[in-house]
Amino acid sequence: MIIKQIKEELKLAKKPIAKSLHHNTSFRVLVLGFRKGMVMKSHTAKWPSKLTVLEGSVSYQEEKENTVLNQYDEFEIPVGITHSVEANEDSLCLLTQSDD
């Protein structure tokens, strides 16, 4: 019930919510929840990652590039590149990460 929990918690949240959906020693799948205007601050990925939008729309921002991702869009996030994510509308995303 992770997705339902995130949707409920977002009603009062001041920042994006991230929860583990599934993981083991070599991969993890996170669910990210955003309300419109919320920003996941600049950070870098330590593992190869893919962001998939399940609902809504987000902007993936690197140094000088901005990529709008809508429902069902996917984006490969490079390791070691500083980036942020901003919600253009209420959104749910999957973040898959692998150590290979």
Side-chain angles (χ1 to χ4, degrees):
M1 305 297 180
I2 297 298
I3 293 173
K4 287 182 180 180
Q5 287 177 343
I6 289 173
K7 285 188 149 205
E8 188 62 31
E9 289 178 26
L10 275 173
K11 292 176 183 177
L12 300 174
K14 303 270 190 237
K15 60 183 181 177
I17 297 174
K19 292 188 181 285
S20 176
L21 182 66
H22 188 62
H23 67 277
N24 71 19
T25 57
S26 62
F27 79 92
R28 65 182 174 166
V29 179
L30 300 174
V31 179
L32 308 175
F34 299 85
R35 282 200 334 249
K36 182 178 180 176
M38 286 183 168
V39 176
M40 184 168 286
K41 295 179 182 179
S42 293
H43 61 285
T44 58
K46 297 176 185 171
W47 305 281
S49 304
K50 181 184 279 189
L51 182 66
T52 304
V53 179
L54 298 177
E55 294 179 4
S57 174
V58 299
S59 292
Y60 171 87
Q61 300 164 353
E62 287 181 8
E63 197 171 291
K64 293 182 181 179
E65 290 188 40
N66 181 44
T67 304
V68 175
L69 303 169
N70 296 304
Q71 188 174 32
Y72 309 131
D73 287 342
E74 302 169 2
F75 190 85
E76 296 280 343
I77 299 173
V79 173
I81 301 296
T82 301
H83 63 278
S84 64
V85 178
E86 181 174 355
N88 301 322
E89 55 188 73
D90 293 354
S91 301
L92 280 175
C93 302
L94 286 182
L95 182 68
T96 54
Q97 299 178 316
S98 173
D99 65 2
D100 59 6

